[in-house]
């Protein structure tokens, strides 16, 4: 799996990159169908934000988290991503269990 880390108004250090990769690798272990995850770290005054974007089963999944501490925001984003992926997986499984019902016609009733 490929994890891309980029920054907006912040220089991505090795420690930040390692923390993001560790958290997202744990999420990816539960969902082996994931191919790539992109994360963008943004720093605003008094707030650290991270946005994580991925494709899962044909749908784009994007989550955001913000906190005063960057590592807390990373952990929150990983938790939100896992919840969003579970929700998507559940809706796909629900669609599999739907049975198609053929409407009955009165035309072929026995006399």
């Amino acid at each position: 799996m490929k994890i891309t880390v980029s920054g907006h108004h912040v220089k991505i250090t090795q420690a930040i990159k390692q923390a993001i990769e560790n958290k997202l690798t744990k999420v990816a272990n539960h969902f082996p169908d994931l191919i790539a995850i992109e994360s963008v770290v943004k720093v605003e005054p008094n707030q650290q934000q991270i946005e994580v974007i991925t494709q899962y089963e044909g749908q784009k999944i994007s989550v955001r988290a913000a906190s005063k501490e960057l590592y807390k925001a990373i952990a929150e984003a990983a938790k939100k991503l896992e919840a969003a992926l579970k929700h998507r997986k559940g809706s796909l499984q629900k669609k599999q269990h739907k049975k198609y019902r053929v409407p009955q016609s009165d035309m072929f009733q026995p006399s």
Side-chain angles (χ1 to χ4, degrees), residues 3 8 13 18 23 38 60 75:
I3 298 174
H8 185 71
T13 64
Q18 190 68 33
K23 291 290 185 180
E38 179 184 341
K60 179 181 171 184

Side-chain angles (χ1 to χ4, degrees), residues 61-105:
I61 296 178
S62 176
V63 295
R64 288 184 180 189
S67 178
K68 287 187 177 185
E69 298 176 19
L70 181 61
Y71 294 103
K72 193 181 280 187
I74 292 169
E76 188 178 332
K79 193 181 238 185
K80 284 182 178 182
L81 180 64
E82 189 163 3
L85 291 170
K86 282 181 183 178
H87 179 76
R88 176 68 180 149
K89 187 175 183 179
S91 65
L92 289 173
Q93 289 177 346
K94 182 180 176 185
K95 286 181 182 179
Q96 283 182 337
H97 294 298
K98 279 187 177 178
K99 293 182 179 178
Y100 180 73
R101 299 205 181 247
V102 178
Q104 295 298 320
S105 172

